[in-house]
Amino acid sequence: MTAPEKSTTYSQWTACVAPMLDWTDRHCRYFHRLLSRHARLYTEMVHTGAILHGQRQRFLQFNEEEHPLALQLGGSEPADLARCAQLAQEAGYDEVNLNCGCPSERVQRGSFGACLMAEPALVSDCVKAMVDACSIPVTVKHRIGLDQQQSYGPLRDFVGQVAEAGCRVFIVHARNAWLKGLSPKENREIPPLRYEVVRQLKADFPQLGIVVNGGIATLAQMQAHLQGAEGQRLDGVMVGREAYHNPWFLTQWDTALFGSPPSALQRDAIEEEMVRYMARQQAAGVSPLQIARHMLGLRNGQPGAKAWRQVWSDHRLKELPAPAIAAQARQARLRNAAGIAHSEAGVTGS
């Protein structure tokens, strides 16, 4: 374990949206930025081989509005990770993150993700190579243990060894990763959450930024972790699926967690901005529905939301201009909302 150092402020990581495969692409992140000016956004995990030997521009592309933004990498070859970290900095990313938490069998076959927690020396070599190759923060996202492991020692030693290589921020999913017997979805639900382990890490490594991830779905939960209501105060909170499925949740973050005025944009204005964005992307060959899938939760709980989602999900409309689809969605929402109101009035008056 490294000796305690003077504590550092890690406010950049106060509230983060988790990297989610097939979900947090650049279109999703553009949408999330409209909801929160300060949330830290992360790309989907990108394997080093895709960047080094594939369509580099495609995998590194982002909108300038997305900052602060981190690129999450998957890989276990120090030289490849170092080159990708260098490219991330050149592309303009604010952080590069190494995935040591994904438990999928496909990722394990590639010898990266959660299985790297069993090889702290290799992770240290990877982090050292990345730190030497770039000047932006190099961070690690990992679990609290592997399989049925309950002992705290291996986690403490993993963090201590990787910190000595130059990592200053650790994003900790407060569940074990079961490498056999559970699907990635089950790995997010079945292993029990143990937030006390994450708090112990912060107590043992006060000089490091410790960000908690896993099972967090309310503003009260976020504040409890950040304020130390349950013990050790943590440096940040990362939210995954709740931020995606209930995106309006992000509009609470700027005021409650960063002390900034809330966004003046309401749901209609955000949808209008997304339609303008879709129109720009459509000119480059991107279907509006490919982008709209990320904002289907925008009107959760509002009258007519289901009808509105049905229009934005109707693949028969994928060739239409974005404003035309938006007009149909608005008409369907208002018509459905009016029908609900009329039905409720009839029940009340009977």
Side-chain angles (χ1 to χ4, degrees):
M1 186 187 307
T2 57
E5 302 170 7
K6 183 178 179 181
S7 181
T8 305
T9 299
Y10 294 102
S11 58
Q12 299 171 68
W13 287 271
T14 295
C16 312
V17 178
M20 291 176 278
L21 196 60
D22 296 326
W23 288 2
T24 51
D25 63 18
R26 62 190 175 94
H27 310 306
C28 174
R29 300 190 305 263
Y30 184 90
F31 172 54
H32 284 170
R33 181 57 68 218
L34 294 175
L35 301 165
S36 169
R37 296 186 300 276
H38 299 293
R40 197 168 187 87
L41 304 180
Y42 285 73
T43 70
E44 308 165 85
M45 180 179 64
V46 183
H47 189 263
T48 54
I51 295 174
L52 297 178
H53 309 298
Q55 299 176 358
R56 180 177 302 174
Q57 176 62 22
R58 172 191 164 199
F59 290 109
L60 293 179
Q61 185 180 11
F62 63 89
N63 304 288
E64 283 301 316
E65 293 87 350
E66 295 174 37
H67 293 292
L69 175 65
L71 172 68
Q72 187 183 68
L73 293 174
S76 58
E77 292 291 336
D80 290 349
L81 286 162
R83 177 57 180 151
C84 287
Q86 184 180 47
L87 291 171
Q89 177 169 310
E90 292 173 358
Y93 283 91
D94 302 296
E95 170 194 340
V96 59
N97 177 267
L98 178 61
N99 185 312
C100 295
C102 181
S104 80
E105 291 187 7
R106 179 175 63 85
V107 166
Q108 290 180 56
R109 286 195 295 271
S111 299
F112 63 100
C115 62
L116 285 176
M117 289 194 68
E119 301 186 70
L122 174 58
V123 177
S124 295
D125 290 344
C126 292
V127 166
K128 179 66 165 59
M130 295 164 74
V131 168
D132 289 346
C134 69
S135 59
I136 58 177
V138 173
T139 66
V140 172
K141 188 173 188 294
H142 60 92
R143 297 288 185 118
I144 59 172
L146 296 177
D147 300 315
Q148 305 292 335
Q149 180 186 77
Q150 297 295 308
S151 172
Y152 172 67
L155 173 64
R156 178 199 58 213
D157 295 344
F158 173 85
V159 170
Q161 189 167 348
V162 176
E164 289 179 349
C167 181
R168 312 312 296 160
V169 176
F170 292 80
I171 301 167
V172 190
H173 189 144
R175 286 186 172 95
N176 279 31
W178 292 11
L179 300 181
K180 299 293 181 183
L182 293 182
S183 69
K185 180 178 185 297
E186 290 170 330
N187 254 295
R188 295 190 299 269
E189 299 170 351
I190 292 177
L193 285 161
R194 293 191 290 152
Y195 296 126
E196 69 278 5
V197 175
V198 185
R199 294 195 293 271
Q200 185 62 52
L201 276 179
K202 184 60 184 177
D204 288 343
F205 299 96
Q207 76 279 14
L208 300 179
I210 303 294
V211 179
V212 65
N213 172 229
I216 300 164
T218 69
L219 185 61
Q221 290 174 321
M222 297 178 77
Q223 291 171 322
H225 288 299
L226 294 168
Q227 296 169 0
E230 299 178 14
Q232 183 69 47
R233 184 186 70 81
L234 300 177
D235 297 289
V237 178
M238 177 174 276
V239 181
R241 275 147 183 80
E242 184 66 19
Y244 189 86
H245 292 304
N246 184 25
W248 198 248
F249 178 32
L250 272 70
T251 63
Q252 303 176 48
W253 294 10
D254 287 357
T255 299
L257 305 177
F258 294 94
S260 295
S263 172
L265 296 178
Q266 298 302 306
R267 283 180 172 88
D268 287 350
I270 287 174
E271 181 180 357
E272 290 167 6
E273 176 53 41
M274 285 303 294
V275 170
R276 287 190 287 270
Y277 174 76
M278 289 177 199
R280 296 194 298 271
Q281 294 297 317
Q282 194 167 18
V286 181
S287 167
L289 300 189
Q290 185 177 335
I291 300 170
R293 68 188 179 97
H294 299 303
M295 69 172 194
L296 294 181
L298 177 62
R299 297 189 179 277
N300 283 353
Q302 289 199 312
K306 181 178 180 180
W308 177 84
R309 287 194 299 270
Q310 287 173 337
V311 173
W312 277 118
S313 304
D314 189 343
H315 287 274
R316 294 172 299 180
L317 308 178
K318 64 182 180 180
E319 302 299 332
L320 289 181
I325 303 174
Q328 289 193 32
R330 180 176 184 274
Q331 291 169 5
R333 174 173 62 86
L334 295 178
R335 187 165 53 245
N336 184 266
I340 293 173
H342 179 76
S343 176
E344 290 177 347
V347 170
T348 303
S350 61

